[in-house]
Amino acid sequence: MLPDKMILNELIKRWGLDASNGGELIIGGCNSLDLGNIYGTPLHIVNEERLRATAESFLKTIKLKYPGAVSVHYAFKCNPVPGIIKIIKEQGLKAEVMSEYELMLALKLGYRGNDIIVNGPFKTDRLITACLENNIRFINVDSLFELEKIDCICNNLTRNAEVLLRINPDFVPSGMNKGSAAGSRSGSPFGLDLIGGEVMAALEKIKGMKRIRFRGFHFHIGSGIQNPDDYRKALSGLKKILNDAGNAGFKVDVLDIGGGLGVPNSREMTTLELLLYQAFDFLNSGGRTNRKIFFSHFADSVTKGILSLFGNQKIPELILEPGRCITGPNQMLLLKIHQVKDRKGLKKWLVADAGIGTLTMPTYYEHHEVILCNDIRRKAAEKVTITGPGCFSADVVYRNKVMPNIAAGEMIAILDSGAYFTSWESSFGFPRPAIVSVVDGRHNLLRERESFDHMISLDTF
Ligand SMILES: Cc1ncc(COP(=O)(O)O)c(C=O)c1O
């Protein structure tokens, strides 16, 4: 019997997934159950063809729409798996890193210093030194404290640094929690406080720093932005500082507007949803997403925003640092249901082999579709709480998720798990999973499943 046409069409259209005649979920031409049996569960499965296509399309679209120079730097933090970054690099994206480890990884993967941008609020002396020694393209300055530190290290090493100033524009994208919106003045510590005058203060300081070369501004307003027009709005908030910087004699050659674009089939819970979910277990089932997030809308919004700032003047080079929108939709996390616990008259738990304590941290605050891999035709039937293997009651995937009837031993997939799942991973008493990429019915191991020996390999006892 063929799988239900409507369900199958949705899977194909929204995720590029497929199903066997028996209704078993297929990804990249591979049967998901077979992959689970070969590599063990939990298992991260990367859809290589779609990942390549997404990265290529992002780069092409912005280059087509923006009338100036463009560089796209993949944000490593989003999914720092070397095998995944390698695929993205092959599509022409450069690197954005935020730690000594990520910088080392970028260099190891063959990025030249000039292809790397360094960000983050935790630039140690060693990281800054490594930036200078490797001729990193831009250090994005997070604070006045950091600016002085960079200047001091530059003088000690007699090296120069090219910098962008990270602005906190006090802009919260629509539908986003203030606490997780990185461009919020009260919700995030990142960047120089525009309203408080720190950006101009930094420019004044730079005037006296002979080894620091100002090249432009940077902001990153949050992650998971559902309305691409928010970029245009955030950019409009830079008008005054661009004028002020110009009047103070500074030329803005580069605008780095960070990452943050959301994905079509998953999104962060709103503040109200999060409150209702955490306080009362009320899960907004389905969690409407914006299926119309297109790179072309994003590119139009950014281009419009920058053109309206620069008018007839030469427009700056545009730098973008996407993470989520590149990897997010192109990976799924396969879990096996270990046991089903039905407490009479109360609720049903599905105990899976991963939860927020180990691998699914983003399900704490994001909506993701979860599907049964054994038979996509089985209809949604009941609300269940999917828990992880940890011995604590907060280790859940979702509470009150509407699912079909599922039996012990069956497998489920959390979709759109390519952003911030592998970055958040922790072992919590269980080995970290393998990561495989699939393409045209072939599967390639990107990371081996952790062994018990790996887990204690750094310990002394
Ligand atoms: C400075 C910076 N750039 C880029 C990103 C990537 O964001 P996203 O994965 O939402 O595209 C982040 C994420 O936190 C960030 O902090």
Side-chain angles (χ1 to χ4, degrees), residues 23 38 69 94 97 99 113 120 189 212 258 264 270 325 330 388 414 426 450:
I38 296 168
K94 300 176 179 178
V97 304
S99 68
I212 303 287
T270 62
C325 67
N330 301 315
I414 301 175
S426 71
E450 215 170 32

Side-chain angles (χ1 to χ4, degrees), residues 444-459:
N444 306 306
L445 189 64
L446 299 183
R447 177 179 288 170
E448 225 179 282
R449 183 181 169 81
E450 215 170 32
S451 68
F452 297 150
D453 282 341
H454 290 139
M455 291 171 81
I456 53 167
S457 63
L458 299 176
D459 291 290

Side-chain angles (χ1 to χ4, degrees), residues 75 77 96 119 166 218 220 223 259-260 321-324 420:
K77 64 182 84 60
E96 184 264 352
N119 251 313
R166 176 161 180 171
H218 161 56
H220 169 74
S223 186
E321 303 171 354
R324 181 185 296 275
Y420 302 101

Side-chain angles (χ1 to χ4, degrees), residues 155-419:
N155 287 326
N156 288 344
L157 297 180
T158 59
R159 283 178 180 264
N160 299 338
E162 301 231 322
V163 302
L164 306 180
L165 297 183
R166 176 161 180 171
I167 293 178
N168 182 313
D170 198 26
F171 180 87
V172 179
S174 41
M176 190 159 273
N177 295 303
K178 214 171 184 178
S180 60
S184 150
R185 186 173 189 232
S186 61
S188 121
F190 303 125
L192 295 149
D193 180 19
L194 184 62
I195 292 176
E198 285 183 347
V199 183
M200 277 315 289
L203 288 173
E204 283 306 316
K205 272 185 193 292
I206 287 174
K207 280 185 180 166
M209 295 174 164
K210 63 178 192 310
R211 296 199 166 274
I212 303 287
R213 182 146 177 247
F214 168 82
R215 296 296 308 279
F217 292 120
H218 161 56
F219 67 53
H220 169 74
I221 50 177
S223 186
I225 293 163
Q226 290 277 304
N227 181 1
D229 202 41
D230 281 326
Y231 287 91
R232 185 190 55 75
K233 291 183 187 153
L235 279 161
S236 71
L238 300 189
K239 203 165 186 71
K240 183 169 181 318
I241 190 66
L242 285 171
N243 272 338
D244 292 350
N247 292 339
F250 288 93
K251 193 163 155 283
V252 173
D253 300 320
V254 178
L255 260 190
D256 172 354
I257 64 160
L261 184 65
V263 301
N265 297 308
S266 165
R267 66 167 173 82
E268 187 176 273
M269 295 177 194
T270 62
T271 306
L272 185 62
E273 283 174 332
L274 201 55
L275 280 172
L276 290 174
Y277 179 50
Q278 298 305 342
F280 305 108
D281 292 353
F282 177 80
L283 180 65
N284 178 8
S285 146
R288 275 186 313 279
T289 46
N290 179 2
R291 302 204 183 133
K292 295 204 179 84
I293 297 184
F294 294 125
F295 292 158
S296 55
H297 291 171
F298 166 74
D300 283 338
S301 163
V302 171
T303 302
K304 229 188 232 167
I306 296 182
L307 290 180
S308 78
L309 286 174
F310 284 80
N312 296 330
Q313 292 164 263
K314 183 173 184 292
I315 55 168
E317 174 183 345
L318 170 64
I319 291 183
L320 299 166
E321 303 171 354
R324 181 185 296 275
C325 67
I326 304 294
T327 53
N330 301 315
Q331 192 167 317
M332 70 182 208
L333 177 57
L334 191 68
L335 307 183
K336 188 185 254 181
I337 303 303
H338 172 71
Q339 65 166 324
V340 178
K341 300 192 81 173
D342 197 352
R343 193 157 287 167
K344 281 227 156 37
L346 194 58
K347 71 198 293 185
K348 197 188 250 190
W349 287 270
L350 307 181
V351 183
D353 46 13
I356 61 168
T358 48
L359 304 179
T360 78
M361 187 58 191
T363 63
Y364 186 79
Y365 57 92
E366 289 175 358
H367 291 290
H368 287 262
E369 297 275 351
V370 181
I371 55 173
L372 173 65
C373 302
N374 295 71
D375 189 351
I376 63 148
R377 299 164 301 185
R378 216 179 291 167
K379 296 266 182 298
E382 56 185 353
K383 282 186 180 172
V384 292
T385 291
I386 307 168
T387 67
C391 220
F392 63 109
S393 53
D395 188 25
V396 293
V397 177
Y398 281 117
R399 293 186 218 104
N400 287 328
K401 188 84 170 162
V402 178
M403 297 294 294
N405 285 118
I406 296 179
E410 294 192 306
M411 293 187 207
I412 56 174
I414 301 175
L415 303 185
D416 298 288
S417 66

